[in-house]
Amino acid sequence: MKRLLLAAIPVIALYACCKEVCEDQNLLVRTQNMQAVDTDTVFLIRYKPYSRFSEKIDTVKRYSLVPVGGTTQPSAFFDYLDFNYDWKIVIPALNKEYFISYIETEKKPCHCEGGKYRAVKRFELNNVKVEGSTVVLN
């Protein structure tokens, strides 16, 4: 029993030290230069990829509570979007629409567990190529 415990300690220590997340990483969407009252209602519309936003799959209406004094509070809106679809984000209070498409992913090695996971490499936001996995709406 003592030998088993001694053999398990290095394995447990190795996994305890590893902080890397090895799950597929979707698009992070966040706002910049918007007030909380502007993003109290946001529509996330999912489309079939490469359909040029003609084949809608579904729509989610996101509500956020506006804190007291919300006209001066910055927006805390953020969400993660599945990289397997194209997306249209509508912010009615600002009369703005954002189109996210041509999402490219890459496989990255997982140093903790071995294996690989997928992460967003680049995408198009309103027909402009953007590197990385964060969509900034402003």
Side-chain angles (χ1 to χ4, degrees):
M1 181 70 163
K2 194 174 189 180
R3 286 185 186 171
L4 180 61
L5 183 59
L6 289 174
I9 288 174
V11 173
I12 293 170
L14 176 65
Y15 281 102
C17 292
C18 196
K19 304 293 184 211
E20 184 178 11
V21 177
C22 296
E23 298 175 352
D24 285 349
Q25 297 176 352
N26 289 308
L27 278 171
L28 169 63
V29 177
R30 65 178 182 83
T31 58
Q32 182 176 313
N33 302 323
M34 292 184 194
Q35 304 303 315
V37 71
D38 296 333
T39 59
D40 66 340
T41 303
V42 176
F43 293 93
L44 304 173
I45 306 166
R46 183 168 50 159
Y47 289 86
K48 185 176 178 183
Y50 306 106
S51 69
R52 298 183 181 246
F53 300 97
S54 64
E55 295 181 47
K56 186 189 307 185
I57 296 173
D58 60 11
T59 302
V60 174
K61 187 176 187 180
R62 286 268 319 267
Y63 292 107
S64 301
L65 294 175
V66 178
V68 176
T71 56
T72 60
Q73 297 292 321
S75 171
F77 175 83
F78 76 94
D79 208 330
Y80 289 95
L81 302 180
D82 188 333
F83 57 65
N84 292 300
Y85 302 95
D86 288 349
W87 293 89
K88 177 179 174 183
I89 301 173
V90 180
I91 303 178
L94 298 174
N95 198 28
K96 289 191 173 186
E97 296 180 335
Y98 302 89
F99 296 88
I100 303 165
S101 59
Y102 299 105
I103 301 167
E104 294 180 42
T105 62
E106 62 184 341
K107 288 189 176 185
K108 293 188 170 187
C110 180
H111 301 290
C112 293
E113 305 166 0
K116 296 187 180 223
Y117 66 94
R118 286 176 41 187
V120 175
K121 183 178 181 180
R122 71 177 62 93
F123 58 92
E124 285 190 13
L125 175 61
N126 294 341
N127 295 317
V128 175
K129 288 187 188 265
V130 178
E131 295 290 324
S133 61
T134 303
V135 179
V136 179
L137 308 177
N138 55 24

Coordinates of all heavy atoms in Angstrom, one line a residue, residues 18-104:
C18 N -0.4 21.0 -13.9 CA -0.8 21.4 -15.2 C -2.1 22.2 -15.2 O -3.1 21.7 -14.7 CB -1.0 20.1 -16.1 SG -1.0 20.5 -17.8
K19 N -2.1 23.4 -15.7 CA -3.3 24.3 -15.6 C -3.9 24.5 -17.0 O -4.8 25.3 -17.2 CB -2.8 25.7 -15.1 CG -2.2 25.6 -13.7 CD -3.2 25.1 -12.6 CE -2.5 25.2 -11.3 NZ -2.9 24.2 -10.4
E20 N -3.4 23.9 -18.0 CA -3.9 24.1 -19.4 C -5.3 23.5 -19.6 O -5.5 22.4 -19.1 CB -2.9 23.5 -20.4 CG -3.3 23.7 -21.8 CD -2.3 23.1 -22.8 OE1 -1.4 22.4 -22.4 OE2 -2.4 23.4 -24.0
V21 N -6.1 24.2 -20.2 CA -7.5 23.6 -20.5 C -7.4 23.0 -21.9 O -7.0 23.6 -22.9 CB -8.5 24.8 -20.5 CG1 -9.9 24.2 -21.0 CG2 -8.6 25.4 -19.2
C22 N -7.8 21.7 -22.0 CA -7.6 21.0 -23.3 C -9.0 20.7 -23.9 O -9.2 19.6 -24.4 CB -6.8 19.8 -23.0 SG -5.1 20.1 -22.5
E23 N -9.9 21.6 -23.9 CA -11.2 21.4 -24.5 C -11.2 22.4 -25.7 O -10.5 23.4 -25.8 CB -12.3 21.8 -23.6 CG -12.4 21.0 -22.3 CD -13.4 21.5 -21.4 OE1 -14.0 22.6 -21.6 OE2 -13.7 20.8 -20.4
D24 N -12.0 22.0 -26.7 CA -12.2 22.9 -27.9 C -12.5 24.3 -27.4 O -13.4 24.4 -26.5 CB -13.2 22.4 -28.8 CG -12.7 21.1 -29.6 OD1 -11.5 20.9 -29.6 OD2 -13.6 20.5 -30.3
Q25 N -11.9 25.3 -28.0 CA -12.1 26.7 -27.5 C -12.9 27.5 -28.6 O -12.4 27.7 -29.7 CB -10.8 27.3 -27.2 CG -10.1 26.6 -26.1 CD -8.7 27.2 -25.8 OE1 -8.2 28.0 -26.5 NE2 -8.1 26.7 -24.7
N26 N -14.1 27.9 -28.2 CA -15.0 28.6 -29.1 C -14.6 30.1 -29.2 O -13.7 30.5 -28.5 CB -16.4 28.4 -28.7 CG -16.9 27.0 -29.0 OD1 -16.7 26.5 -30.1 ND2 -17.4 26.3 -28.0
L27 N -15.4 30.8 -30.0 CA -15.2 32.3 -30.1 C -15.7 33.0 -28.8 O -16.8 32.8 -28.4 CB -16.0 32.8 -31.3 CG -15.4 32.7 -32.6 CD1 -16.5 33.1 -33.7 CD2 -14.2 33.6 -32.8
L28 N -14.9 33.9 -28.3 CA -15.3 34.7 -27.2 C -15.8 36.0 -27.8 O -15.1 36.7 -28.6 CB -14.1 35.0 -26.3 CG -14.4 36.1 -25.2 CD1 -15.5 35.8 -24.3 CD2 -13.1 36.4 -24.5
V29 N -17.0 36.4 -27.5 CA -17.6 37.7 -28.0 C -17.7 38.6 -26.8 O -18.3 38.2 -25.8 CB -18.9 37.4 -28.7 CG1 -19.5 38.8 -29.1 CG2 -18.8 36.5 -29.8
R30 N -17.2 39.8 -27.0 CA -17.4 40.8 -25.9 C -17.5 42.2 -26.5 O -17.3 42.4 -27.7 CB -16.2 40.8 -24.9 CG -14.9 41.2 -25.6 CD -13.7 41.2 -24.6 NE -12.5 41.7 -25.1 CZ -12.1 43.0 -25.3 NH1 -12.9 43.9 -24.9 NH2 -11.0 43.3 -25.8
T31 N -18.0 43.1 -25.7 CA -18.3 44.5 -26.2 C -17.2 45.4 -25.7 O -16.5 45.1 -24.7 CB -19.6 45.0 -25.7 OG1 -19.6 44.9 -24.2 CG2 -20.8 44.1 -26.2
Q32 N -17.1 46.5 -26.4 CA -16.1 47.6 -26.0 C -16.8 48.9 -26.3 O -17.4 49.0 -27.4 CB -14.9 47.4 -26.8 CG -13.8 48.4 -26.5 CD -12.5 48.1 -27.3 OE1 -12.1 46.9 -27.4 NE2 -11.9 49.1 -27.9
N33 N -16.7 49.9 -25.4 CA -17.2 51.2 -25.6 C -18.7 51.2 -25.7 O -19.3 52.0 -26.5 CB -16.6 51.9 -26.9 CG -15.1 52.0 -26.8 OD1 -14.6 52.3 -25.7 ND2 -14.4 51.8 -27.9
M34 N -19.4 50.3 -25.0 CA -20.9 50.2 -24.9 C -21.3 50.3 -23.5 O -20.6 49.9 -22.6 CB -21.4 49.0 -25.6 CG -21.2 48.9 -27.1 SD -22.0 47.4 -27.7 CE -21.2 47.3 -29.3
Q35 N -22.5 50.9 -23.3 CA -23.0 51.0 -21.9 C -23.9 49.8 -21.7 O -24.4 49.1 -22.6 CB -23.8 52.2 -21.8 CG -23.1 53.5 -22.1 CD -21.8 53.7 -21.3 OE1 -21.8 53.4 -20.1 NE2 -20.7 54.0 -21.9
A36 N -24.1 49.4 -20.4 CA -25.0 48.3 -20.0 C -26.4 48.4 -20.6 O -26.9 47.4 -21.0 CB -25.0 48.2 -18.5
V37 N -26.9 49.6 -20.6 CA -28.2 49.8 -21.2 C -28.3 49.5 -22.7 O -29.3 49.1 -23.2 CB -28.8 51.2 -20.8 CG1 -28.0 52.3 -21.7 CG2 -30.3 51.3 -21.0
D38 N -27.2 49.6 -23.4 CA -27.1 49.3 -24.8 C -27.2 47.8 -25.1 O -27.7 47.4 -26.1 CB -25.8 49.8 -25.4 CG -25.7 51.3 -25.3 OD1 -26.7 52.0 -25.3 OD2 -24.5 51.8 -25.3
T39 N -26.7 47.0 -24.2 CA -26.7 45.6 -24.4 C -27.6 44.8 -23.5 O -27.4 43.6 -23.2 CB -25.2 45.1 -24.2 OG1 -24.8 45.3 -22.9 CG2 -24.3 45.7 -25.3
D40 N -28.7 45.4 -23.0 CA -29.6 44.7 -22.2 C -30.4 43.6 -23.0 O -30.8 42.7 -22.4 CB -30.6 45.7 -21.5 CG -31.5 46.4 -22.4 OD1 -31.2 46.5 -23.6 OD2 -32.6 46.9 -21.9
T41 N -30.5 43.8 -24.3 CA -31.0 42.8 -25.1 C -30.1 42.6 -26.3 O -29.8 43.6 -27.0 CB -32.4 43.3 -25.6 OG1 -33.3 43.5 -24.5 CG2 -33.1 42.2 -26.5
V42 N -29.7 41.4 -26.6 CA -28.8 41.0 -27.7 C -29.4 39.7 -28.3 O -29.7 38.8 -27.6 CB -27.4 40.8 -27.2 CG1 -26.5 40.4 -28.4 CG2 -26.8 42.1 -26.6
F43 N -29.5 39.7 -29.7 CA -29.9 38.5 -30.4 C -28.6 37.9 -31.0 O -27.8 38.5 -31.6 CB -30.8 38.9 -31.5 CG -32.1 39.4 -31.1 CD1 -32.4 40.8 -31.0 CD2 -33.2 38.5 -30.8 CE1 -33.6 41.3 -30.5 CE2 -34.4 39.0 -30.4 CZ -34.6 40.4 -30.3
L44 N -28.5 36.6 -30.7 CA -27.5 35.7 -31.3 C -28.2 34.8 -32.3 O -28.9 33.9 -31.9 CB -26.8 34.9 -30.2 CG -26.2 35.7 -29.0 CD1 -25.7 34.8 -27.9 CD2 -25.1 36.6 -29.5
I45 N -27.9 35.0 -33.5 CA -28.5 34.2 -34.6 C -27.5 33.3 -35.2 O -26.5 33.7 -35.7 CB -29.2 35.1 -35.6 CG1 -30.1 36.1 -34.9 CG2 -29.9 34.3 -36.7 CD1 -30.5 37.3 -35.8
R46 N -27.8 32.0 -35.2 CA -26.9 31.0 -35.7 C -27.3 30.6 -37.1 O -28.5 30.3 -37.4 CB -26.9 29.8 -34.8 CG -25.9 28.7 -35.2 CD -25.7 27.7 -34.1 NE -27.0 27.1 -33.6 CZ -27.1 26.0 -33.0 NH1 -26.1 25.2 -32.8 NH2 -28.3 25.6 -32.6
Y47 N -26.3 30.5 -38.0 CA -26.5 30.1 -39.4 C -25.6 28.9 -39.8 O -24.6 28.7 -39.2 CB -26.1 31.3 -40.3 CG -27.1 32.4 -40.3 CD1 -26.9 33.4 -39.3 CD2 -28.1 32.5 -41.2 CE1 -27.8 34.5 -39.3 CE2 -29.0 33.6 -41.1 CZ -28.9 34.6 -40.2 OH -29.7 35.6 -40.1
K48 N -26.1 28.2 -40.8 CA -25.3 27.1 -41.4 C -24.0 27.8 -41.9 O -24.1 28.8 -42.6 CB -26.1 26.4 -42.5 CG -25.4 25.3 -43.1 CD -26.3 24.6 -44.1 CE -25.5 23.4 -44.7 NZ -26.3 22.7 -45.7
P49 N -22.8 27.2 -41.7 CA -21.6 27.8 -42.2 C -21.6 27.9 -43.7 O -22.1 27.0 -44.4 CB -20.5 26.9 -41.6 CG -21.2 25.7 -41.2 CD -22.6 26.0 -41.0
Y50 N -20.9 28.9 -44.2 CA -20.7 29.2 -45.6 C -22.1 29.3 -46.4 O -22.1 29.1 -47.6 CB -19.9 28.1 -46.2 CG -18.6 27.9 -45.5 CD1 -18.3 26.8 -44.7 CD2 -17.5 28.9 -45.6 CE1 -17.1 26.7 -44.0 CE2 -16.3 28.8 -44.9 CZ -16.1 27.7 -44.1 OH -15.0 27.5 -43.5
S51 N -23.1 29.7 -45.7 CA -24.4 29.8 -46.3 C -24.7 31.3 -46.7 O -25.8 31.6 -47.2 CB -25.6 29.3 -45.5 OG -25.7 30.1 -44.3
R52 N -23.8 32.1 -46.4 CA -23.9 33.6 -46.7 C -25.1 34.1 -45.9 O -25.9 35.0 -46.4 CB -24.0 33.9 -48.2 CG -22.8 33.5 -48.9 CD -22.9 33.9 -50.4 NE -21.7 33.5 -51.1 CZ -20.8 34.4 -51.6 NH1 -21.1 35.7 -51.5 NH2 -19.7 34.0 -52.2
F53 N -25.3 33.6 -44.7 CA -26.4 34.0 -43.8 C -27.8 33.9 -44.4 O -28.7 34.6 -44.2 CB -26.2 35.5 -43.3 CG -24.9 35.6 -42.6 CD1 -23.7 36.1 -43.3 CD2 -24.8 35.3 -41.3 CE1 -22.5 36.2 -42.6 CE2 -23.5 35.4 -40.6 CZ -22.4 35.8 -41.3
S54 N -28.0 32.8 -45.2 CA -29.3 32.5 -45.8 C -30.0 31.3 -45.2 O -31.2 31.2 -45.4 CB -29.1 32.3 -47.3 OG -28.4 31.1 -47.6
E55 N -29.2 30.5 -44.4 CA -29.8 29.3 -43.8 C -29.8 29.4 -42.3 O -28.8 28.9 -41.7 CB -29.1 28.0 -44.3 CG -29.3 27.8 -45.8 CD -28.7 26.5 -46.3 OE1 -28.8 25.5 -45.6 OE2 -28.0 26.6 -47.3
K56 N -30.8 30.1 -41.8 CA -30.8 30.3 -40.3 C -31.1 29.0 -39.6 O -32.0 28.2 -40.0 CB -31.9 31.3 -40.0 CG -31.9 31.7 -38.5 CD -33.1 32.6 -38.1 CE -33.3 33.8 -38.9 NZ -34.4 34.6 -38.3
I57 N -30.5 28.7 -38.5 CA -30.7 27.5 -37.7 C -31.6 27.9 -36.5 O -32.6 27.3 -36.3 CB -29.4 26.9 -37.2 CG1 -28.6 26.4 -38.5 CG2 -29.6 25.7 -36.3 CD1 -27.2 25.9 -38.2
D58 N -31.2 28.9 -35.7 CA -32.0 29.3 -34.6 C -31.5 30.7 -34.1 O -30.5 31.2 -34.5 CB -32.0 28.3 -33.4 CG -30.6 28.0 -32.9 OD1 -29.6 28.7 -33.2 OD2 -30.4 27.0 -32.1
T59 N -32.3 31.2 -33.1 CA -32.0 32.5 -32.5 C -32.1 32.4 -31.0 O -33.1 31.8 -30.5 CB -33.0 33.6 -33.0 OG1 -32.9 33.6 -34.5 CG2 -32.7 34.9 -32.5
V60 N -31.2 33.1 -30.3 CA -31.3 33.2 -28.9 C -31.4 34.7 -28.6 O -30.6 35.5 -29.1 CB -30.0 32.6 -28.2 CG1 -30.0 32.9 -26.7 CG2 -29.9 31.1 -28.5
K61 N -32.3 35.0 -27.7 CA -32.4 36.4 -27.2 C -31.9 36.5 -25.8 O -32.4 35.9 -24.9 CB -33.9 36.8 -27.2 CG -34.1 38.3 -27.0 CD -35.6 38.6 -27.1 CE -35.9 40.1 -27.0 NZ -37.4 40.3 -27.1
R62 N -30.7 37.2 -25.7 CA -30.1 37.3 -24.4 C -30.5 38.6 -23.7 O -30.4 39.7 -24.3 CB -28.6 37.4 -24.6 CG -27.9 36.1 -24.9 CD -27.4 35.3 -23.7 NE -26.8 36.1 -22.7 CZ -25.5 36.4 -22.6 NH1 -24.7 35.9 -23.5 NH2 -25.0 37.2 -21.6
Y63 N -31.0 38.5 -22.5 CA -31.3 39.6 -21.6 C -30.3 39.8 -20.6 O -29.8 38.8 -20.0 CB -32.7 39.4 -20.9 CG -33.9 39.4 -21.9 CD1 -34.5 38.2 -22.2 CD2 -34.4 40.6 -22.4 CE1 -35.6 38.2 -23.0 CE2 -35.5 40.5 -23.2 CZ -36.1 39.4 -23.5 OH -37.2 39.3 -24.4
S64 N -30.0 41.0 -20.2 CA -29.0 41.3 -19.1 C -29.7 42.3 -18.3 O -30.4 43.3 -18.7 CB -27.7 41.9 -19.7 OG -27.1 41.0 -20.5
L65 N -29.5 42.2 -17.0 CA -30.0 43.2 -16.0 C -29.2 44.4 -16.1 O -27.9 44.3 -16.2 CB -30.0 42.6 -14.6 CG -30.9 41.5 -14.3 CD1 -30.7 40.9 -12.9 CD2 -32.4 41.9 -14.5
V66 N -29.8 45.6 -16.1 CA -29.1 46.8 -16.2 C -29.0 47.3 -14.7 O -30.0 47.5 -14.1 CB -29.8 47.9 -17.0 CG1 -29.1 49.2 -17.0 CG2 -30.0 47.3 -18.4
P67 N -27.8 47.5 -14.2 CA -27.6 48.0 -12.8 C -28.2 49.4 -12.7 O -28.3 50.1 -13.6 CB -26.1 47.9 -12.6 CG -25.5 47.9 -13.9 CD -26.5 47.3 -14.9
V68 N -28.5 49.7 -11.4 CA -28.9 51.1 -11.1 C -27.8 52.0 -11.7 O -26.6 51.8 -11.5 CB -29.1 51.3 -9.6 CG1 -29.4 52.8 -9.3 CG2 -30.1 50.4 -9.1
G69 N -28.2 53.1 -12.4 CA -27.2 54.0 -13.0 C -26.6 53.4 -14.3 O -25.5 53.7 -14.7
G70 N -27.4 52.4 -14.9 CA -26.9 51.7 -16.0 C -26.5 52.5 -17.2 O -25.9 52.0 -18.1
T71 N -27.0 53.8 -17.3 CA -26.6 54.6 -18.4 C -25.2 55.0 -18.4 O -24.6 55.4 -19.4 CB -27.5 55.9 -18.5 OG1 -27.4 56.6 -17.3 CG2 -28.9 55.5 -18.8
T72 N -24.5 54.9 -17.2 CA -23.1 55.2 -17.1 C -22.2 54.0 -16.9 O -21.0 54.1 -17.0 CB -22.9 56.2 -16.0 OG1 -23.3 55.6 -14.8 CG2 -23.6 57.5 -16.2
Q73 N -22.8 52.8 -16.7 CA -22.1 51.6 -16.4 C -21.6 51.0 -17.7 O -22.4 50.9 -18.7 CB -22.9 50.6 -15.6 CG -23.3 51.0 -14.3 CD -22.2 51.2 -13.3 OE1 -21.3 50.3 -13.3 NE2 -22.2 52.2 -12.5
P74 N -20.4 50.5 -17.8 CA -20.0 49.8 -19.1 C -20.7 48.5 -19.2 O -21.1 47.9 -18.2 CB -18.5 49.7 -18.9 CG -18.2 49.8 -17.4 CD -19.3 50.6 -16.9
S75 N -20.8 48.1 -20.4 CA -21.5 46.8 -20.7 C -20.6 45.7 -20.3 O -19.4 45.7 -20.5 CB -21.7 46.7 -22.2 OG -22.1 45.3 -22.5
A76 N -21.2 44.7 -19.7 CA -20.5 43.5 -19.2 C -20.8 42.3 -20.1 O -20.6 41.1 -19.8 CB -20.8 43.1 -17.8
F77 N -21.4 42.6 -21.3 CA -21.9 41.5 -22.2 C -20.7 40.7 -22.7 O -19.7 41.3 -23.2 CB -22.7 42.0 -23.4 CG -23.0 41.0 -24.4 CD1 -24.1 40.2 -24.2 CD2 -22.2 40.7 -25.5 CE1 -24.4 39.1 -25.1 CE2 -22.5 39.7 -26.4 CZ -23.6 38.9 -26.2
F78 N -20.8 39.4 -22.6 CA -19.8 38.5 -23.3 C -20.5 37.2 -23.5 O -21.5 36.8 -22.8 CB -18.5 38.3 -22.5 CG -18.6 37.5 -21.3 CD1 -18.3 36.1 -21.4 CD2 -19.0 38.0 -20.1 CE1 -18.4 35.3 -20.3 CE2 -19.1 37.2 -19.0 CZ -18.8 35.8 -19.1
D79 N -20.1 36.4 -24.4 CA -20.6 35.1 -24.7 C -19.6 34.2 -25.4 O -18.6 34.8 -26.0 CB -21.9 35.2 -25.5 CG -22.9 34.0 -25.2 OD1 -22.4 32.9 -24.9 OD2 -24.1 34.2 -25.3
Y80 N -19.8 32.9 -25.4 CA -18.9 32.0 -26.2 C -19.8 31.5 -27.3 O -20.9 31.0 -27.1 CB -18.4 30.9 -25.4 CG -17.3 31.4 -24.4 CD1 -17.6 31.7 -23.1 CD2 -16.0 31.5 -24.9 CE1 -16.7 32.1 -22.2 CE2 -15.0 32.0 -24.0 CZ -15.4 32.3 -22.7 OH -14.4 32.7 -21.8
L81 N -19.3 31.6 -28.6 CA -20.1 31.1 -29.7 C -19.4 29.9 -30.3 O -18.2 29.8 -30.5 CB -20.2 32.2 -30.8 CG -20.9 33.5 -30.3 CD1 -20.9 34.4 -31.5 CD2 -22.3 33.2 -29.8
D82 N -20.2 28.9 -30.7 CA -19.7 27.6 -31.3 C -19.0 28.0 -32.6 O -19.7 28.6 -33.5 CB -20.8 26.7 -31.5 CG -20.4 25.3 -31.9 OD1 -19.3 25.1 -32.6 OD2 -21.1 24.3 -31.6
F83 N -17.8 27.5 -32.8 CA -17.1 27.9 -34.1 C -17.5 27.0 -35.3 O -17.0 27.3 -36.4 CB -15.5 27.7 -33.9 CG -15.0 26.4 -33.4 CD1 -15.2 25.3 -34.2 CD2 -14.4 26.3 -32.2 CE1 -14.7 24.0 -33.7 CE2 -13.9 25.1 -31.7 CZ -14.1 23.9 -32.5
N84 N -18.4 26.1 -35.1 CA -18.9 25.3 -36.2 C -20.0 26.0 -37.0 O -20.6 25.4 -37.9 CB -19.4 24.0 -35.7 CG -18.3 23.1 -35.1 OD1 -17.4 22.8 -35.8 ND2 -18.4 22.8 -33.8
Y85 N -20.4 27.2 -36.7 CA -21.5 27.9 -37.3 C -21.1 29.4 -37.6 O -20.1 29.9 -37.1 CB -22.7 28.0 -36.4 CG -23.2 26.6 -36.0 CD1 -22.8 26.0 -34.8 CD2 -24.0 25.9 -36.9 CE1 -23.2 24.7 -34.5 CE2 -24.4 24.6 -36.5 CZ -24.0 24.0 -35.3 OH -24.5 22.8 -35.0
D86 N -21.8 30.0 -38.5 CA -21.7 31.4 -38.8 C -22.7 32.1 -37.8 O -23.7 31.5 -37.5 CB -22.0 31.8 -40.2 CG -20.9 31.4 -41.2 OD1 -19.8 31.0 -40.7 OD2 -21.2 31.4 -42.4
W87 N -22.4 33.4 -37.5 CA -23.3 34.0 -36.5 C -23.6 35.5 -36.9 O -22.8 36.1 -37.6 CB -22.5 34.1 -35.2 CG -22.3 32.8 -34.5 CD1 -21.3 31.9 -34.7 CD2 -23.2 32.1 -33.6 NE1 -21.5 30.8 -34.0 CE2 -22.7 30.9 -33.3 CE3 -24.5 32.5 -33.1 CZ2 -23.3 30.0 -32.5 CZ3 -25.1 31.6 -32.2 CH2 -24.5 30.3 -31.9
K88 N -24.8 35.9 -36.6 CA -25.2 37.3 -36.7 C -25.6 37.7 -35.3 O -26.3 37.1 -34.6 CB -26.4 37.4 -37.7 CG -26.9 38.8 -37.8 CD -28.1 38.8 -38.8 CE -28.7 40.1 -38.9 NZ -29.9 40.1 -39.8
I89 N -25.0 38.9 -34.9 CA -25.3 39.4 -33.6 C -26.0 40.7 -33.8 O -25.5 41.6 -34.5 CB -24.0 39.6 -32.7 CG1 -23.3 38.2 -32.6 CG2 -24.3 40.2 -31.4 CD1 -22.0 38.3 -31.9
V90 N -27.1 40.9 -33.2 CA -27.9 42.1 -33.3 C -28.1 42.8 -32.0 O -28.4 42.2 -31.0 CB -29.3 41.8 -33.9 CG1 -30.1 43.1 -34.1 CG2 -29.2 41.1 -35.2
I91 N -27.7 44.1 -31.9 CA -27.9 44.9 -30.7 C -28.9 46.0 -31.1 O -28.6 47.0 -31.6 CB -26.6 45.5 -30.3 CG1 -25.5 44.4 -30.0 CG2 -26.8 46.3 -29.0 CD1 -24.2 44.8 -29.6
P92 N -30.2 45.7 -30.8 CA -31.3 46.6 -31.2 C -31.2 48.0 -30.7 O -31.5 49.0 -31.4 CB -32.6 45.9 -30.7 CG -32.2 44.5 -30.4 CD -30.7 44.5 -30.1
A93 N -30.7 48.2 -29.4 CA -30.6 49.5 -28.8 C -29.7 50.5 -29.6 O -29.9 51.7 -29.6 CB -30.2 49.5 -27.4
L94 N -28.7 49.9 -30.3 CA -27.7 50.7 -31.0 C -28.0 50.6 -32.5 O -27.3 51.1 -33.3 CB -26.3 50.2 -30.7 CG -25.9 50.4 -29.3 CD1 -24.5 49.8 -29.1 CD2 -25.9 51.8 -28.9
N95 N -29.0 49.7 -32.9 CA -29.3 49.5 -34.3 C -28.1 49.0 -35.1 O -27.7 49.4 -36.1 CB -29.9 50.8 -35.0 CG -30.6 50.4 -36.3 OD1 -31.1 49.3 -36.4 ND2 -30.6 51.4 -37.2
K96 N -27.3 48.0 -34.4 CA -26.1 47.5 -35.0 C -26.3 46.0 -35.2 O -26.9 45.3 -34.5 CB -24.9 47.7 -34.1 CG -24.5 49.2 -34.1 CD -23.1 49.3 -33.4 CE -22.6 50.7 -33.5 NZ -21.3 50.9 -32.9
E97 N -25.6 45.5 -36.3 CA -25.6 44.1 -36.7 C -24.1 43.8 -36.9 O -23.4 44.5 -37.6 CB -26.4 43.8 -37.9 CG -27.9 44.0 -37.7 CD -28.7 43.7 -39.0 OE1 -28.1 43.8 -40.1 OE2 -29.8 43.4 -38.8
Y98 N -23.7 42.6 -36.5 CA -22.4 42.1 -36.7 C -22.4 40.7 -37.3 O -23.2 39.9 -36.8 CB -21.6 42.0 -35.3 CG -21.5 43.3 -34.6 CD1 -22.5 43.7 -33.7 CD2 -20.5 44.2 -34.8 CE1 -22.5 44.9 -33.0 CE2 -20.4 45.4 -34.1 CZ -21.4 45.8 -33.3 OH -21.3 47.0 -32.6
F99 N -21.7 40.5 -38.3 CA -21.7 39.2 -39.1 C -20.3 38.5 -38.9 O -19.3 39.1 -39.2 CB -21.9 39.4 -40.5 CG -23.3 40.0 -40.8 CD1 -23.5 41.4 -40.8 CD2 -24.4 39.2 -41.0 CE1 -24.7 41.9 -41.0 CE2 -25.6 39.7 -41.3 CZ -25.8 41.1 -41.3
I100 N -20.4 37.3 -38.3 CA -19.2 36.5 -38.1 C -19.2 35.3 -38.9 O -20.2 34.5 -38.8 CB -19.1 36.1 -36.6 CG1 -19.1 37.4 -35.7 CG2 -17.8 35.3 -36.3 CD1 -19.4 37.1 -34.2
S101 N -18.2 35.1 -39.8 CA -18.2 34.0 -40.7 C -16.8 33.5 -41.0 O -15.8 34.1 -40.5 CB -18.9 34.3 -42.0 OG -18.3 35.4 -42.6
Y102 N -16.6 32.5 -41.8 CA -15.3 32.0 -42.3 C -14.4 31.7 -41.1 O -13.3 32.2 -41.1 CB -14.7 32.9 -43.3 CG -15.5 33.0 -44.6 CD1 -16.3 34.2 -44.8 CD2 -15.6 31.9 -45.5 CE1 -17.0 34.3 -46.0 CE2 -16.4 32.0 -46.6 CZ -17.1 33.2 -46.8 OH -17.9 33.3 -47.9
I103 N -14.9 31.0 -40.1 CA -14.2 30.8 -38.9 C -13.2 29.6 -39.2 O -13.6 28.5 -39.6 CB -15.1 30.4 -37.7 CG1 -16.1 31.6 -37.5 CG2 -14.3 30.1 -36.5 CD1 -17.3 31.3 -36.6
E104 N -11.9 29.9 -39.0 CA -10.9 28.9 -39.2 C -10.4 28.4 -37.8 O -10.1 29.2 -37.0 CB -9.7 29.4 -40.0 CG -10.1 29.8 -41.4 CD -8.9 30.4 -42.2 OE1 -7.8 29.8 -42.0 OE2 -9.1 31.4 -42.9

